[in-house]
Structure formats: structure tokens, C-alpha cells
């Protein structure tokens, strides 16, 4: 199912247009597409991009939440299940900013990991970003400007036990992002990853019970002993902090930042 109610908005600014004044929204006239936008990091990104002037396509399988957020920010809701690869062809191709955020998690040792769950995670977190890039990059190239921000993870740079599908998907997303950075550089398009540690989102909260069961500890111990064990900063990251990094990468002073992975892991990868 998909829902489209797209209000009129300004066309993307021409590549040679004068720089906006500091008082102007940095993404005025731009269009953004955010997947998994109805909650967590995706919601925070949609809010930040809309506040910066972008018209946001709110893509999520949760219809009520997507509709509500789109109404709040003046965006367009698209209610789709990204585990079905063909639905990407029903989404708009006009995004100047693409935020690949949708994801899911499953915690189990490799020998007990359900193959269908492994395949599902790769479809949503690797194949869907590829298909969205294939759909949106031609327009970015034509307009001479674009920003691709992939919400990766510290698990795109490091591994953890019991997360074979998630770690595999995030490592693949990192590689895809770098390939796009090389191909798109001559077209005014950048491609980067943001790599947070554990963020206070439903995805993280929902895996606490799984982590407790897998590690044989109480749920109260999971955050300190598992999630933040390798982090120097002993607190969960807020979604708005990740969104601010995404917005910065879409701003006017980041044209030379591409093919990069911005770590927001509280010092995890410094070990």
C-alpha cells in the first residue's frame, strides 16, 4: 500500500545559484526522502530536514505514524513495506537528499540464526538502499547536486557476537556508500555514512530482552554490560544528535566530504 499527498513545493535550486544567506534554511527548495522515517533516527532526520527547508518524503510501513509525521512537517507520507523490493519503484525519484535509515535487528548465534531472517535483513538494509540509489541518482546527476546519507552503525566498522545479519548488512552498506561516492563525485553528489553506537530508539529498546536471553543476564544489565561496555561515553545516543550530523552532511560546507564514515560511537572505535 502507498499513500501520496504531495503538496506543491519549490523546485531544487540550480547548481550555480547564489549561496543562501545564513538566515535562510539551508535546504530550502530541496526534496528529501527518508526511509524508516516514522520513528527513532528516521523521525529525527525527517524533522531536522524539514526544519531546514526540505520537503520530506516520509517512508515507513507504519501508516498511522507516517501520516501523522508527514502532516506535522508538511511532507508526503509513503506507506510501504521495504521488505518487498518492487515497492521501491512506486516511490518518488526526485529526492535531492536520500537518507537510507530503515532497518531491523535479530540477535542469535550464527548456528541458530534463521536463514529467512538473515535474508530479510539484507533485503531491507542493503538491497533497498541500492534500489533507492538506482532510482534517485539519475535525478541528482541531472540537477548537479545531491546528498546521500546512509545510517550505518558502529557495527558497520566493528563486529559483535550474535548479530551476523546486522553486521553483514551494515558492512555492505558502508561499501555501497563508498562506491557511490566515487561514481557520483563528478556530478556534485556526495555519499557518506553516519555510524552511531547504541541510540535510544525502539530498535534498541526492543532487543534488550533478546540480548538478556542470549547473554544469560538480566534486562537491567544489558545496557551497561553489553550495549555500552566498549563505549567511553556511558550513555545512549539521542536520535536528534544523529539527525544533526545528517543535516550537517547535507549542508553547504560539506561538498568535499564524501566516501566517509562519521563515527558517533562514544569512543567505541578508539579502542
Amino acid at each position: 500500500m502507498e499513500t501520496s499527498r504531495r503538496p506543491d513545493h519549490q523546485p531544487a535550486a540550480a547548481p550555480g545559484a547564489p549561496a543562501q544567506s545564513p538566515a535562510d534554511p539551508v535546504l530550502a527548495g530541496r526534496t528529501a526522502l527518508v526511509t524508516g522515517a516514522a520513528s527513532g533516527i528516521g523521525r529525527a532526520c525527517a524533522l531536522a530536514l524539514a526544519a531546514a527547508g526540505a520537503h520530506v518524503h516520509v517512508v515507513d510501513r507504519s501508516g498511522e505514524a507516517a501520516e501523522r509525521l508527514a502532516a506535522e512537517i508538511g511532507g508526503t507520507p509513503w506507506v510501504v513495506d521495504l521488505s518487498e523490493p518492487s515497492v521501491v519503484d512506486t516511490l518518488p525519484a526526485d529526492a535531492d537528499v536520500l537518507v537510507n535509515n530503515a532497518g531491523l535487528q535479530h540477535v542469535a548465534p550464527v548456528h541458530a540464526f534463521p536463514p529467512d531472517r538473515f535474508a530479510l535483513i539484507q533485503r531491507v538494509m542493503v538491497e533497498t538502499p541500492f534500489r533507492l540509489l538506482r532510482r534517485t541518482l539519475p535525478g541528482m546527476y541531472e540537477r548537479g547536486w545531491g546528498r546521500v546519507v546512509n545510517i550505518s552503525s558502529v557495527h558497520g566498522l566493528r563486529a559483535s557476537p550474535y548479530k551476523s545479519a546486522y553486521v553483514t548488512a551494515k558492512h555492505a552498506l558502508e561499501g555501497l556508500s563508498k562506491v557511490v561516492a566515487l561514481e557520483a563525485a563528478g556530478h556534485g553528489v556526495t555519499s557518506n555514512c553516519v555510524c552511531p553506537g547504541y541510540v535510544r530508539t525502539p530498535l534498541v529498546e526492543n532487543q534488550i530482552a533478546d540480548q538478556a536471553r542470549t547473554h544469560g543476564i538480566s534486562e537491567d544489565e544489558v545496557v551497561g554490560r553489553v550495549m555500552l561496555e566498549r563505549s567511553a561515553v556511558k550513555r545512549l545516543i539521542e536520535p536528534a544528535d544523529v539527525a544533526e550530523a545528517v543535516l550537517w552532511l547535507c549542508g553547504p560546507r560539506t561538498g568535499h566530504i564524501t566516501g566517509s564514515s562519521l563515527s558517533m560511537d562514544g569512543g567505541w572505535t578508539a579502542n
Side-chain angles (χ1 to χ4, degrees), residues 190-258:
T190 65
S191 176
N192 293 287
C193 289
V194 175
C195 305
Y198 285 99
V199 183
R200 196 185 306 278
T201 65
L203 181 67
V204 167
E205 291 169 352
N206 291 340
Q207 67 178 279
I208 290 178
D210 286 342
Q211 290 275 17
R213 182 172 55 255
T214 302
H215 289 273
I217 59 178
S218 72
E219 292 188 19
D220 290 340
E221 295 176 286
V222 168
V223 173
R225 288 183 53 187
V226 177
M227 293 182 172
L228 300 180
E229 178 186 12
R230 286 169 285 186
S231 229
V233 179
K234 300 297 185 183
R235 63 178 182 272
L236 295 176
I237 302 164
E238 298 301 326
D241 295 338
V242 181
E244 284 297 318
V246 171
L247 181 58
W248 176 71
L249 286 170
C250 297
R253 301 290 181 262
T254 54
H256 281 80
I257 301 176
T258 195

Side-chain angles (χ1 to χ4, degrees), residues 20 25-28 30-34 45 48-49 52 54 96-99 140 145-151 188 190-192 194 242-255 257 262:
Q20 295 170 343
V26 295
L27 293 177
R30 301 293 187 186
T31 298
L33 188 153
V34 183
C45 288
L49 294 167
D96 302 297
V97 174
L98 172 63
V99 180
M140 294 183 192
W145 192 93
R147 295 290 182 265
V148 176
V149 185
N150 300 296
I151 305 301
T190 65
S191 176
N192 293 287
V194 175
V242 181
E244 284 297 318
V246 171
L247 181 58
W248 176 71
L249 286 170
C250 297
R253 301 290 181 262
T254 54
I257 301 176
L262 177 61

